[in-house]
Amino acid sequence: FFVDFYGKVGNANVDSLLRELKHMTDKLLVLDEKEVHWFPRHISELDLIANRTLDAGTDLEADHPGFRDVEYRQRRARLAEL
């Protein structure tokens, strides 16, 4: 199973936890720290980003230069049909 928590190896509490877990498993893998800037924790939080990602379809994001260019989007749609 996978366990994710806030803490760093070298912290007394984290090191104690890792020692305890090692006794309970055949293999314990500690991954490097990975910073995630934002991740939705509740499905309603997806509404905060849905407008930026879905308004132009699944392949054109809101920050794309052609996002608001109607002719560009029509050309893309025609090419996608081919």
Side-chain angles (χ1 to χ4, degrees):
F1 63 91
F2 177 79
V3 177
D4 186 19
F5 65 92
Y6 180 76
K8 294 182 184 267
V9 175
N11 175 283
N13 290 330
V14 172
D15 291 345
S16 176
L17 171 66
L18 294 176
R19 280 192 301 276
E20 292 296 320
L21 288 173
K22 284 180 185 177
H23 294 295
M24 299 177 193
T25 183
D26 293 332
K27 182 177 181 181
L28 178 66
L29 175 63
V30 178
L31 302 175
D32 292 337
E33 183 178 338
K34 181 176 181 182
E35 185 175 327
V36 177
H37 297 287
W38 181 81
F39 191 83
R41 291 191 238 170
H42 189 271
I43 195 163
S44 65
E45 292 179 337
L46 292 175
D47 293 336
L48 300 172
I49 62 166
N51 295 350
R52 294 183 303 183
T53 58
L54 300 177
D55 284 351
T58 57
D59 61 340
L60 188 60
E61 296 185 16
D63 61 350
H64 187 281
F67 180 78
R68 302 204 189 284
D69 184 337
V70 176
E71 291 178 27
Y72 174 80
R73 293 183 56 190
Q74 288 172 346
R75 286 193 309 270
R76 281 180 64 98
R78 283 194 304 271
L79 289 172
E81 291 174 3
L82 299 176

